[in-house]
Amino acid sequence: MFRTIEWLDDTREVKLVDQTKLPLATKHIVTSSHERVAKSIKIMEIRGAPAIGAAAGMGMALAAIESKAKTKNNLLDFLRKAAVTLNTRPTAVNLTWATTRMLRVAEAAEDGVDQIVEILVGEGKEIAEEDVRMCQSMGKHALSVIESGFVIQTICNAGSLATVHLGTVGAVVRVAHEKYGGNIEVYAVETRPRQQGARLTVFEFMEDGIDTTLITDGMIGTVFREGRIDCCVVGADRILKTGHVINKIGTYTMAITAKFHKIPFYVAAPMSTIDMETNPADVVIEERDGDEIRIINGKYITVPTTKVYNPAFDMTPPELITAIITDKGIVEVPNKRKILEIHKKID
Ligand code: MRU
């Protein structure tokens, strides 16, 4: 798989794959504007928690270049505004995590403005490289729970396209696929309304020659009952210190159904997705435009004036989760003590 997002050293631009066009066309957006990166995040040309974190990091680096600031104070003012501009989606913690990290680096630097700009470019690139390393590490840790011959069900897209490269669930599947000589299968849930499962997960796993079957969201219980699935592995947009996992709408229903059928339910996410501050009641779940549900392929498929409720994410409590697969190891039956313990392992 290609890289979802990269920094172009020669032109000091950001290049990202336009995910709204996939799988029918592979188009890229190349920009030197942090506002254009913010727009890409908002309209989901780039999406997936780690990928938008990396985009926000590089967006901050672009902002530093764009600021043309002569003093550190002016640069910091510009960067604080850029951080607000880039935070266009509320649920994935990786966005604020990346913009805050970039701001902290700028604040702590004791160099001249030009050097701080270069430090920020380096930090933006490093966030992306770290993401690749974290995914590789998750894939390796997951081998202790994924066996040869497993059929893995996933929702949404937590593959390469949701990260910089490889994916979270993507890494779990790809590393096991390689280790077990291709003896791994995937069931991808379509994921209404934006169909990230059908459009993106199916596309990228099939590109890599991984045996993939597409099902609609309503078929989850049936494939469990029919014994087709060995385990579920899903991504996360935010994991709270309590062990609650916020992920794509439908994850909670899948976890409840998996528990009923005694199917292990794993969450794969890097440490950058763990939020040690927010309590479950305070998580902001993004509500998206009702037309995402009313319209398919440019045509209304319902009464155009119908009311719609369209939360993009849901929250799964820890008692439904078998384990969280992180880049620092596996947290079985997550709880506050175990999450605190693994969080201490961040370098
Ligand atoms: O609305 P999206 O497409 O950004 O939602 C993405 C998801 O919910 C993913 O499962 C999550 O970000 C984990 S990605 C590794």
Side-chain angles (χ1 to χ4, degrees):
M1 279 305 289
F2 37 73
R3 285 213 167 202
T4 303
I5 180 163
E6 56 191 308
W7 179 268
L8 303 179
D9 273 323
D10 293 352
T11 53
R12 291 154 84 80
E13 289 171 308
V14 172
K15 179 179 174 188
L16 51 96
V17 182
D18 181 351
Q19 300 192 31
T20 61
K21 304 279 188 304
L22 289 172
L24 302 179
T26 305
K27 296 242 153 62
H28 288 93
I29 291 139
V30 179
T31 182
S32 56
S33 153
H34 76 281
E35 287 178 343
R36 182 65 186 86
V37 173
K39 181 181 169 195
S40 281
I41 296 170
K42 188 176 170 64
I43 65 174
M44 294 173 69
E45 288 167 335
I46 186 161
R47 34 65 50 204
I52 60 177
M58 290 187 194
M60 290 290 279
L62 290 180
I65 296 168
E66 287 173 276
S67 81
K68 308 250 179 330
K70 295 277 177 279
T71 66
K72 184 176 169 184
N73 275 347
N74 287 352
L75 175 64
L76 289 177
D77 281 349
F78 196 89
L79 288 174
R80 286 187 191 113
K81 286 190 195 123
V84 174
T85 306
L86 285 159
N87 275 279
T88 54
R89 296 188 72 193
T91 305
V93 72
N94 311 57
L95 254 189
T96 33
W97 170 83
T99 51
T100 307
R101 171 166 161 175
M102 294 293 279
L103 273 175
R104 295 280 170 274
V105 166
E107 283 160 0
E110 285 171 1
D111 313 68
V113 174
D114 291 348
Q115 286 99 318
I116 300 179
V117 171
E118 293 320 306
I119 290 170
L120 289 171
V121 169
E123 193 70 12
K125 285 160 65 177
E126 176 54 19
I127 288 176
E129 289 316 309
E130 252 178 48
D131 189 62
V132 178
R133 292 195 294 272
M134 288 193 286
C135 288
Q136 283 163 341
S137 174
M138 263 178 275
K140 285 187 195 139
H141 285 300
L143 286 175
S144 64
V145 295
I146 305 292
E147 293 172 27
S148 178
F150 263 24
V151 182
I152 300 170
Q153 181 170 285
T154 190
I155 188 167
C156 193
N157 172 267
S160 247
L161 291 160
T163 61
V164 175
H165 187 61
L166 212 59
T168 56
V169 176
V172 172
V173 168
R174 287 184 168 99
V175 171
H177 190 259
E178 195 177 326
K179 169 97 181 161
Y180 303 135
N183 199 18
I184 287 289
E185 258 187 68
V186 172
Y187 268 57
V189 176
E190 175 191 25
T191 319
R192 277 280 280 150
R194 290 188 67 103
Q195 283 127 353
Q196 292 95 325
R199 291 189 304 107
L200 307 174
T201 301
V202 167
F203 164 69
E204 64 167 80
F205 284 150
M206 285 185 72
E207 285 275 298
D208 279 3
I210 297 164
D211 186 337
T212 306
T213 302
L214 174 66
I215 59 167
T216 68
D217 300 13
M219 295 172 191
I220 289 173
T222 295
V223 296
F224 287 165
R225 190 182 50 74
E226 289 176 351
R228 290 170 183 265
I229 307 297
D230 293 298
C231 72
C232 302
V233 189
V234 304
D237 287 83
R238 193 183 282 257
I239 297 177
L240 308 186
K241 57 180 178 285
T242 49
H244 288 75
V245 168
I246 295 96
N247 191 48
K248 180 54 54 193
I249 192 77
T251 303
Y252 176 44
T253 314
M254 191 163 138
I256 293 173
T257 317
K259 180 107 183 165
F260 182 80
H261 289 279
K262 300 188 174 49
I263 291 170
F265 190 88
Y266 299 109
V267 177
M271 297 307 289
S272 53
T273 303
I274 297 185
D275 169 6
M276 299 302 283
E277 309 294 325
T278 312
N279 292 310
D282 300 325
V283 174
V284 179
I285 300 285
E286 179 180 8
E287 255 192 68
R288 298 188 59 87
D289 196 300
D291 276 351
E292 284 188 350
I293 295 182
R294 294 187 197 99
I295 296 175
I296 293 182
N297 285 341
K299 290 210 172 84
Y300 281 103
I301 48 95
T302 181
V303 181
T305 53
T306 185
K307 286 198 286 181
V308 159
Y309 176 48
N310 187 17
F313 301 96
D314 60 26
M315 181 155 27
T316 301
E319 53 269 31
L320 297 178
I321 297 166
T322 310
I324 300 176
I325 302 161
T326 76
D327 50 298
K328 298 284 178 204
I330 295 195
V331 184
E332 278 174 27
V333 196
N335 61 29
K336 203 167 171 176
R337 181 185 56 76
K338 292 181 189 175
I339 300 236
L340 270 170
E341 233 163 64
I342 197 125
H343 197 256
K344 282 192 203 136
K345 291 192 185 172
I346 296 181
D347 312 317

